[in-house]
């Protein structure tokens, strides 16, 4: 499939992927995809990443139930970064972060310190039970 | 400065950085920062990245004039990705992409092809003259 060949995969065969929430436009998370993950994502309409720590495909939500329904796939000008526009399912409001927060980007630099500024929407012990 | 030590730099001493527009929440671009770039960004309030191709600090807008004023710096749950909330200066509406488009993510997957779906706001030949 040529659209997969259009992506510039890095030396590890990966491409950075940014997940952005449809509607709010919030940036939810950042991960990597290999070719198979991107192909699976396009085919199933659900976000599939490549876990570098586990070295395997990672169907987002496979443990938490917090699946991402993909509305759009975008590629950047250099063909080496993917942007997913997703609907964050499984909880209202959506939880993308393993800490139980809406977004993984919950720490803000304030006065020379990173401070957590977003609430935990669900206890991770209840998410990963 | 401890907040810089809190960042998990990769083997090349870099961290991925996502620039998001304040207000619209549009994802404008993706780049990398080294420690010096992130420190400069925080100190000057303007986005400074690390150009991997040129192997040097890259003050965004140094050639184009399309500087990014930084409103917020965020760090993700794993401490290995930075999110910048920026105001894209130098043109109205903001141009973050070297192709003269608002955002670098202007190619959308449609029917098995990446299609350019965002307009060129200014001819790159006029930007980089």
């Amino acid at each position: 499939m040529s659209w997969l060949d259009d992506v510039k995969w890095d030396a590890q065969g990966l491409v950075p992927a940014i997940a952005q929430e449809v509607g709010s436009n919030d940036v939810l998370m950042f991960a990597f995809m290999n070719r198979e993950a991107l192909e699976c994502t396009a085919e199933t309409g659900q976000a599939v990443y490549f876990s570098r720590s586990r070295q395997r495909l990672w169907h987002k939500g496979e443990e938490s139930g917090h699946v991402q329904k993909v509305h759009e796939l975008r590629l950047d000008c250099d063909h080496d970064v993917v942007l997913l526009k997703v609907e964050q399912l499984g909880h209202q409001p959506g939880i993308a972060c393993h800490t139980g927060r809406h977004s993984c980007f919950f720490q803000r630099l304030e006065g020379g310190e990173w401070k957590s500024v977003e609430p935990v929407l669900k206890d991770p012990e209840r998410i990963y039970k």
Side-chain angles (χ1 to χ4, degrees), chain A:
Chain A
M1 287 203 274
S2 66
W3 68 274
L4 287 165
D5 295 327
D6 289 337
V7 177
K8 281 193 196 153
W9 307 96
D10 71 11
Q12 284 76 48
L14 302 177
V15 71
I18 302 162
Q20 182 180 29
E21 189 175 50
V22 165
S24 70
N25 262 353
D26 290 336
V27 174
L28 297 177
M29 56 175 281
F30 172 92
F32 286 88
M33 288 182 168
N34 62 3
R35 188 182 172 101
E36 195 184 349
L38 182 54
E39 190 173 5
C40 264
T41 297
E43 280 184 1
T44 65
Q46 295 196 343
V48 178
Y49 301 100
F50 182 78
S51 167
R52 292 183 302 170
S53 55
R54 290 173 285 180
Q55 286 287 306
R56 66 164 178 87
L57 287 190
W58 160 39
H59 179 190
K60 170 71 182 167
E62 62 191 15
E63 286 181 61
S64 63
H66 298 160
V67 167
Q68 293 175 338
K69 180 178 172 184
V70 178
H71 285 234
E72 257 187 64
L73 282 170
R74 296 224 174 189
L75 187 64
D76 79 332
C77 51
D78 294 328
H79 291 215
D80 60 3
V81 186
V82 169
L83 177 70
L84 297 84
K85 302 212 178 182
V86 305
E87 202 180 325
Q88 182 62 61
L89 305 177
H91 190 272
Q92 192 59 253
I95 295 175
C97 185
H98 75 286
T99 66
R101 292 179 177 88
H102 177 56
S103 160
C104 293
F105 296 91
F106 59 83
Q107 299 172 97
R108 185 164 64 197
L109 188 62
E110 290 181 8
E113 276 178 52
W114 298 106
K115 296 200 177 150
S116 289
V117 294
E118 305 294 345
V120 172
L121 300 174
K122 187 173 177 179
D123 184 339
E125 295 208 352
R126 284 176 53 229
I127 297 174
Y128 303 95
K129 60 178 180 260

